[in-house]
Amino acid sequence: MRGDIEPDRVTVHGEEPWVSDVAFIGLTIVVFAVLALVVRGVEHLVGPVAGSDRADPPDARGAGGAGGTGGVDGAGTRCARQVAR
Amino acid sequence: MSTAAAGFLQGGLLVVALAAAYRPLGDYMAHVFTTDRHWRVERGIYRLIGVDAAAEARWPTYLRSLLAFSVVSVLFLYGFQRVQAHLPLSLGFPGVKPDQAFDTAASFATNTNWQSYSGESTMGHLVQMAGLAVQNFGSAAVGIAVVITLIRGFTRSRTDRIGNFWVDLVRGVCRLLLPIAVVFALVLIAGGVVDNFSAGHAVRTLAGARQVVPGGPVASQEVIKELGTNGGGFYNANSAHPFENPNPVTNWLEIFLLLVISFALPRTFGRMVGDARQGYAVVTVMAVIWIASVAGVTFFESGHHSAAALAAGGAYEGKEVRFGIPASALFTASTTLTSTGAVNNAHDSLTPLGGGIALLDMMLGEIAPGGTGSGLYGILVLAIVTVFVAGLMVGRTPEYLQKKLQAREIKLASLYILTTPALVLIGTGVAMALPGERAAVLNPGPHGLSEVLYAFTSASNNNGSAFAGLSVNTVWYNGALGVVMVLGRFMPMIFVLALAGSLARQRRVPAGAGTLPTHRPLFIGMLLGVVLIVVALTYFPAQALGPLAEGLH
């Protein structure tokens, strides 16, 4: 129906060697590693992101200001606001 | 009442119900993702996972959190299936074989729910509940988190903070999906959907044979299967099975569930950007495509183009008599346009052109209304392209929602649009080129190509439905489709989140005399045109060799 099922061929679930598990776990990790590399590539494409990934110091958050307002989300989390330049 | 009248009544009631849910659900979702207040249970979860709910992240960090959550989901579900034999409620089933476990894990973690197995003869109740159903909630919430982040990109300015992935994920599950799922699971149970821990009941058939009728926690999985546009059924027959979808009322309800969140998200978008008309414009485009698809599938399935169809009054092969053609066509169009992929009829038994429409629905990128979250962010990327095209025509820098669309944004939108067609066409080409894999095609001629094309289109667009007649339970197909599902889900998300980050850093540009209004019929028409031209023509050669060749023969 959705995936292909051949009702007259029951899949035999024997004890698979652990090599298959290592292979598919490895495949999963490789695919996500590729995605992480794509993220790195897109970061270069988009341009440098200001600052580091550490959290902003407390006085840069919730200081109010015009940045980020507009629509409902503008009144959202306090960290979205920055001091207006 | 005639079949046609019943079909119109069902469709009409569905439109009324979706219209009624549009504002309250859309406004509620906007509130969920913009309020500062955390529920007590959410605070407990944040403490448990060590997350500072007040901290927001830049887009690479947000994305890495999303990918980390997803890779752990895939690995956990893989392991869960492999050790199934040692778990309670396994019903005596052995561990799922490695390639199938990988394919299933990738499938459920990516909201695809492609099933190369028969649920009632492969998965025990614990894996179904604590593995597959849990991923149904998680993957749906991930999609919603991404679209909310994109909307924040439009609403924020001069900031590089776009949100907290863990807060968005937890709120999506706790405040949206779970409450609705609990209520409608009870409704489905009242409608006759089973929900128990039974391994099966032995019954004597009318012919005197003995048959075991398997039971299980179906209703609880069924509701999130539809609500989260997942599609993975408890039973192999999916929503054609009488325990999953007993009657026309539950059928109508399941169609409603698989459409409701995706059709309400444009309202959320409009509320968050401060202009409800933007939401109306987007939902109008979605509705036009959806109605056209429903009409097309119904028309072709109702046709009398063979002796059997003439005798039966329509193409009834593969259809459930309790639903008939209109309800089956409505379900088919809705499931292929929403990335759900659940089926209440055999898609391989659709007429060539009816099946071609189902295939085209997925090829459009599933944006009408699309999956939970993925549909809206898909159509917003196309809206960006539309504004860009309009800007080229008049020689102005394109602006959308007071944000300039410059080279960076257009590159990201283009990469988004190119990703899934590349996966579909390359995957199909490789499968048809390899002699061993070509042998997996059981139907000769154009329909055989359609089956392979459908498989890769479904996997890349995270739909999960399939044409039968293709032996996909092989190491190659399980591996290849698993990889395609993961890339088809997360690569577009990378570009969408990068777009959100890029937009959030911009200043807002006041609308001027030359700004293209994006809530008027002109823009709606242009967006429809862009959808059809950019997306559909990408696949025209493949459609011509498959469904069109078969249907026009």
Side-chain angles (χ1 to χ4, degrees):
Chain A
M1 182 68 68
R2 290 187 74 243
D4 169 65
I5 300 298
E6 296 171 325
D8 59 340
R9 197 183 85 181
V10 175
T11 306
V12 176
H13 302 297
E15 285 296 322
E16 306 288 344
W18 59 270
V19 173
S20 299
D21 287 321
V22 170
F24 282 105
I25 291 170
L27 178 62
T28 303
I29 292 169
V30 163
V31 171
F32 277 90
V34 167
L35 289 169
L37 285 174
V38 173
V39 174
R40 187 74 70 86
V42 172
E43 278 185 270
H44 286 296
L45 176 72
V46 169
V49 175
S52 70
D53 271 344
R54 287 172 298 148
D56 282 344
D59 57 352
R61 290 192 224 153
T69 56
V72 177
D73 183 57
T77 56
R78 61 184 186 277
C79 297
R81 300 182 198 143
Q82 291 183 349
V83 176
R85 296 194 182 89
Chain B
M1 183 184 291
S2 70
T3 308
F8 277 116
L9 185 61
Q10 285 187 63
L13 278 173
L14 194 58
V15 170
V16 167
L18 290 169
Y22 177 76
R23 278 187 73 156
L25 183 58
D27 290 349
Y28 174 67
M29 287 193 284
H31 170 77
V32 163
F33 291 104
T34 54
T35 180
D36 278 341
R37 297 186 60 170
H38 302 290
W39 289 0
R40 190 175 299 181
V41 66
E42 293 170 355
R43 285 199 294 270
I45 294 171
Y46 302 144
R47 255 198 308 276
L48 192 66
I49 61 178
V51 162
D52 178 5
E56 293 202 340
R58 297 176 178 85
W59 75 265
T61 309
Y62 193 103
L63 188 51
R64 290 187 180 106
S65 302
L66 187 156
L67 291 176
F69 172 77
S70 300
V71 70
V72 168
S73 298
V74 174
L75 293 173
F76 170 76
L77 190 52
Y78 176 86
F80 208 28
Q81 294 174 80
R82 291 290 292 133
V83 302
Q84 176 180 237
H86 308 290
L87 298 175
L89 297 176
S90 67
L91 308 182
F93 296 134
V96 179
K97 63 189 182 80
D99 54 295
Q100 196 163 52
F102 167 75
D103 181 67
T104 304
S107 166
F108 278 74
T110 56
N111 202 247
T112 309
N113 291 27
W114 170 273
Q115 295 172 293
S116 64
Y117 64 90
S118 175
E120 63 266 46
S121 59
T122 307
M123 302 291 183
H125 293 337
L126 188 67
V127 170
Q128 294 261 31
M129 290 187 298
L132 306 182
V134 166
Q135 287 306 318
N136 283 352
F137 282 96
S139 62
V142 166
I144 296 171
V146 172
V147 76
I148 294 298
T149 307
L150 178 61
I151 297 171
R152 290 193 193 111
F154 285 110
T155 62
R156 296 182 179 184
S157 63
R158 301 180 65 206
T159 178
D160 53 5
R161 305 293 172 139
I162 57 170
N164 185 317
F165 169 72
W166 304 105
V167 170
D168 292 340
L169 179 75
V170 169
R171 285 188 181 185
V173 173
C174 292
R175 300 197 195 193
L176 180 64
L177 297 171
L178 262 176
I180 301 175
V182 166
V183 170
F184 280 96
L186 295 172
V187 175
L188 285 178
I189 289 170
V193 179
V194 305
D195 204 87
N196 54 53
F197 286 124
S198 168
H201 287 288
V203 296
R204 191 153 299 280
T205 66
L206 289 174
R210 184 178 177 276
Q211 182 179 352
V212 175
V213 180
V218 179
S220 52
Q221 191 171 326
E222 190 70 13
V223 65
I224 188 57
K225 163 189 134 184
E226 309 294 5
L227 186 68
T229 63
N230 291 283
F234 192 93
Y235 300 101
N236 181 38
N238 207 270
S239 287
H241 197 289
F243 285 3
E244 283 199 35
N245 191 4
N247 51 61
V249 173
T250 56
N251 185 64
W252 183 93
L253 190 62
E254 290 185 17
I255 299 173
F256 171 77
L257 285 173
L258 68 89
L259 291 170
V260 69
I261 289 183
S262 300
F263 265 124
L265 275 170
R267 172 71 182 183
T268 306
F269 165 65
R271 276 296 304 265
M272 289 179 71
V273 299
D275 184 359
R277 299 174 302 177
Q278 303 295 331
Y280 288 130
V282 170
V283 82
T284 302
V285 174
M286 291 176 169
V288 167
I289 296 173
W290 177 70
I291 290 169
S293 175
V294 170
V297 179
T298 307
F299 173 77
F300 289 117
E301 297 307 301
S302 303
H304 306 160
H305 300 299
S306 67
L310 196 62
Y316 271 94
E317 179 195 303
K319 310 276 190 308
E320 293 291 308
V321 174
R322 67 183 181 281
F323 301 141
I325 286 177
S328 300
L330 187 59
F331 202 113
T332 298
S334 301
T335 198
T336 50
L337 277 169
T338 55
S339 90
T340 305
V343 296
N344 77 347
N345 63 91
H347 283 200
D348 200 37
S349 294
L350 292 170
T351 57
L353 295 178
I357 292 178
L359 188 53
L360 180 65
D361 289 345
M362 295 188 291
M363 290 173 168
L364 291 175
E366 290 179 337
I367 43 97
T372 48
S374 59
L376 181 60
Y377 66 65
I379 204 168
L380 288 178
V381 169
L382 288 167
I384 285 171
V385 172
T386 304
V387 172
F388 171 68
V389 168
L392 286 177
M393 290 180 185
V394 298
R396 279 182 62 92
T397 302
E399 296 163 20
Y400 186 43
L401 300 174
Q402 298 183 303
K403 294 292 176 78
K404 283 192 185 295
L405 302 176
Q406 295 168 321
R408 186 188 305 127
E409 287 77 28
I410 300 306
K411 281 179 196 170
L412 291 168
S414 302
L415 286 168
Y416 177 96
I417 289 168
L418 287 171
T419 301
T420 41
L423 290 170
V424 170
L425 297 174
I426 293 172
T428 304
V430 170
M432 295 306 289
L434 296 173
E437 310 322 318
R438 207 163 53 239
V441 177
L442 302 177
N443 289 298
H447 192 70
L449 172 64
S450 295
E451 289 171 354
V452 179
L453 183 63
Y454 196 107
F456 279 93
T457 305
S458 175
S460 303
N461 287 281
N462 304 122
N463 184 269
S465 60
F467 279 174
L470 184 65
S471 300
V472 293
N473 191 12
T474 61
V475 174
W476 191 87
Y477 265 109
N478 279 329
L481 291 174
V483 170
V484 164
M485 283 186 271
V486 171
L487 293 178
R489 175 74 165 169
F490 297 116
M491 290 262 284
M493 282 185 177
I494 293 172
F495 304 129
V496 168
L497 289 172
L499 193 56
S502 179
L503 290 168
R505 281 193 292 167
Q506 289 186 26
R507 284 184 181 82
R508 298 175 75 85
V509 177
T515 303
L516 173 73
T518 51
H519 59 277
R520 296 230 174 106
L522 174 64
F523 177 76
I524 292 170
M526 286 188 68
L527 180 53
L528 272 169
V530 164
V531 167
L532 291 173
I533 292 170
V534 171
V535 181
L537 285 184
T538 304
Y539 294 104
F540 182 73
Q543 281 267 1
L545 289 173
L548 289 178
E550 188 187 355
L552 299 175
H553 175 64

